[in-house]
Amino acid sequence: MPKLIVRQGGAVREIDIIKDNFSIGRTPDNDLEVRDSLISRRHSSIVRKGEDYIVYDLGSSNGTYVNREKIEMKVLEDNDVIRVGDSEITFTDDRPRPKTTILKPIVEEAAQPDMGHITDQAGNRYIVEHVDDVARSYAFDISEALNKGISLREIRKEPVGEKADKESKMFFILFQVGKALSAAPTLDAMLQISMKLIFEVLNAERGVMFIASAKDNTLVPQLAYHRGRGIVPGSELHISTTITNQVVTEKVSIITSDAMQDPRFMEGMSIVQFNIRSALCVPLWEEQRVYGAIYLDNLAKTYAFTRDDLDLLTAIANLIASRIKQEDLREKLRKEELLRNNLAKYHSPDVVEMLVKHGSEVGLEVSEREVTVLFVDVESSTRLAEAMGAQNVAALLNLFFEMATSAIFEHKGSVNKFIGDSVMGIYNAPLEQPDHALAAVKSAVKLLKEIDRHNRQFPDRRFNIRIGINTGTVVAGNVGTHARMEYTVLGDAVNVAARFCKFPQINRIIVGPGTYEHIKGFFQVKDLGDTVIKGREKAMHAYEIVT
């Protein structure tokens, strides 16, 4: 059985070649993982053809060598030494077999177009290039140059990166003009402009732009284009998922110049079924994120795309991804502003900022927790309505709600709801607040001072309030229906606070035993003794805060 003897860093290991397509590379998904920074993610492959084993270089950055000669492909013989990076791999084959003729790559010489950088690599049926390599090659600030009145044609005379001598004038100009696509009014319009431009300069027959789903990252066709028919439904174009999945997963750009003979894609059913000859696919990439992919193919021609085409399409894909990122950010800011405005109605500004910052991490699911609940209502609001009139009372209640909300927010509480002429505030939910009972009492003291100031300033519009506060374990979370939900707290502790709010004392603060245990030592307290509360069988101890 053929074997590989791998020598790396003084270690030696033997591996049987038991697959017809044996991959070698830096990542764990290869059949032979070689942990070496000089090795590409998918560096080489050894493919069985009949009785022969052929080693292919997969467009690696640092090349594949056999017996110290750089190769694109070679039929292996017993004791051939393959070198990738700093690793030495000896191929051994003790099978008795007659000497065979060395296979040569099939190349359609008569029909091949100008292959640019591939002309000196006749056996290279595909090219793989990581998008980071392309990004480093075209790091250039076009806006600064244009602000100085320098044209694209003049800029092109200057070297641009280490690959300047290999880039065509058309590519550079098209790359810079592509930035103008970001001015398209909508994302869909920009995608259409991009695809039409791509078909103007590349020898593609069909093309599909995919956007990765935000839910599960699956590729969803966003725009499909056919050279003869223009924009078509995505369902009409059957493309190679083998290629697109590899592009998105590994963040690489790929050319396969003869997909039917490409050892990496021979198992792809779509390639065989739909007779795909040439394909070019690049990720929609921006920094470290992949937003989707652009796929092009040609069903009639092999070697339809060149390395310049790959660089060009990769650059355009980066521009498209940048626009998608901008759209995502704009939508995120819009939703955040909407959330912020809604939260500001119920929470203090610092709580709003924390809720927006943490988002779903806050944990709005239903759960048991200790909270402090504050109820405050206007005493004899019905009598006030008779004496002042409905419109004046409405204005007075709005003033009361504003004062109550301000006092609750000042101590990081949340206004849970307005109930007629009452306000319900909660502390320690949804965010944790260690001193929640003390904060609730401080809010109540603050509110009483504001009411007293108002009554002295406007004696003809004076009103009184009652305040009840209680601390205990409740169920907190979102309750309601699918059509309407709200965050609230439920439980006996809430009911007791509401009953305390009905005590006869006006402009006083009544608290329960749970609150008292948390605030004793901070305020003077008057013991009201046990009191019977409506709806409860057992009496409950009550206290009054002395202000």
Side-chain angles (χ1 to χ4, degrees), residues 170-190:
M170 176 208 68
F171 172 76
F172 180 79
I173 294 175
L174 187 57
F175 175 71
Q176 302 301 342
V177 172
K179 294 184 178 180
L181 296 174
S182 61
T186 65
L187 183 61
D188 287 342
M190 190 268 291

Side-chain angles (χ1 to χ4, degrees), residues 396-408 443 446-447 450-451 453-454 463:
L396 191 65
L397 286 177
N398 286 336
L399 175 63
F400 160 67
F401 290 146
E402 185 176 341
M403 289 191 291
T405 299
S406 176
I408 292 170
S443 293
K446 166 76 172 178
L447 179 57
E450 288 297 311
I451 297 296
R453 181 190 60 78
H454 167 81
F463 65 97

Side-chain angles (χ1 to χ4, degrees), residues 104-364:
K104 295 182 178 180
I106 301 172
V107 179
E108 299 178 9
E109 297 180 358
Q112 287 184 29
D114 178 15
M115 293 167 57
H117 296 280
I118 309 179
T119 53
D120 60 341
Q121 302 174 7
N124 191 9
R125 291 195 177 90
Y126 49 85
I127 300 170
V128 179
E129 186 166 4
H130 199 274
V131 293
D132 290 342
D133 297 333
V134 178
R136 283 191 291 270
S137 301
Y138 300 103
F140 185 80
D141 188 357
I142 184 64
S143 59
E144 181 180 352
L146 293 180
N147 288 336
K148 295 178 180 179
I150 305 173
S151 71
L152 286 174
R153 296 180 187 277
E154 290 172 328
I155 295 169
R156 182 54 188 156
K157 295 176 184 178
E158 300 297 327
V160 182
E162 61 185 21
K163 291 187 178 180
D165 59 329
K166 296 182 181 180
E167 300 162 7
S168 67
K169 182 177 180 179
M170 176 208 68
F171 172 76
F172 180 79
I173 294 175
L174 187 57
F175 175 71
Q176 302 301 342
V177 172
K179 294 184 178 180
L181 296 174
S182 61
T186 65
L187 183 61
D188 287 342
M190 190 268 291
L191 294 180
Q192 292 185 27
I193 293 171
S194 301
M195 187 66 91
K196 291 177 180 178
L197 179 60
I198 289 167
F199 271 71
E200 285 291 327
V201 296
L202 299 185
N203 190 22
E205 182 180 349
R206 311 182 310 162
V208 181
M209 284 194 185
F210 295 92
I211 303 296
S213 168
K215 292 183 179 180
D216 54 12
N217 213 37
T218 57
L219 293 179
V220 179
Q222 193 77 9
L223 176 67
Y225 196 88
H226 189 279
R227 180 171 292 278
R229 293 182 289 156
I231 296 176
V232 297
S235 58
E236 291 188 12
L237 300 187
H238 301 281
I239 56 89
S240 172
T241 55
T242 305
I243 295 175
T244 54
N245 288 339
Q246 181 187 341
V247 162
V248 172
T249 301
E250 299 183 14
K251 195 185 173 187
V252 294
S253 299
I254 289 179
I255 292 177
T256 176
S257 296
D258 191 349
M260 301 293 288
Q261 299 296 323
D262 193 323
R264 299 224 300 185
F265 308 123
M266 286 179 178
E267 297 179 0
M269 295 302 296
S270 56
I271 292 174
V272 176
Q273 183 178 357
F274 302 110
N275 196 34
I276 298 172
R277 301 309 301 268
S278 301
L280 170 57
C281 189
V282 302
L284 294 172
W285 59 283
E286 205 282 333
E287 294 183 346
Q288 298 302 313
R289 182 173 176 182
V290 175
Y291 290 90
I294 305 176
Y295 171 90
L296 305 175
D297 67 17
N298 196 308
L299 304 183
K301 295 182 180 180
T302 57
Y303 296 94
F305 306 109
T306 68
R307 186 180 291 271
D308 277 347
D309 295 337
L310 178 143
D311 289 345
L312 170 60
L313 193 60
T314 303
I316 292 176
N318 178 239
L319 300 180
I320 296 172
S322 296
R323 175 61 184 271
I324 295 173
K325 181 180 180 180
Q326 292 174 6
E327 294 292 330
D328 284 353
L329 179 59
R330 188 176 292 112
E331 179 64 15
K332 179 181 178 181
L333 291 175
R334 187 192 69 80
K335 291 181 177 179
E336 184 176 299
E337 185 62 24
L338 180 62
L339 175 63
R340 192 186 304 275
N341 290 337
N342 288 334
L343 290 173
K345 300 174 184 177
Y346 305 100
H347 303 285
S348 61
D350 51 349
V351 172
V352 169
E353 290 301 319
M354 191 170 295
L355 285 170
V356 171
K357 179 180 178 181
H358 289 278
S360 60
E361 296 177 8
V362 171
L364 298 180

Side-chain angles (χ1 to χ4, degrees), residues 13 20 42 46 58 136 147-148 158 181 197 200 268 342 348 354 389 420 432 458 461 466 470 489 495 517 526 528 544:
R13 49 181 168 149
D20 290 341
R42 302 277 286 182
I46 298 175
L58 303 182
R136 283 191 291 270
N147 288 336
K148 295 178 180 179
E158 300 297 327
L181 296 174
L197 179 60
E200 285 291 327
N342 288 334
S348 61
M354 191 170 295
E432 290 188 5
F458 303 101
R461 286 183 287 165
R466 294 189 178 93
N470 192 41
V489 292
N495 300 331
E517 290 299 324
K526 179 180 179 181
L528 300 180
E544 179 184 332

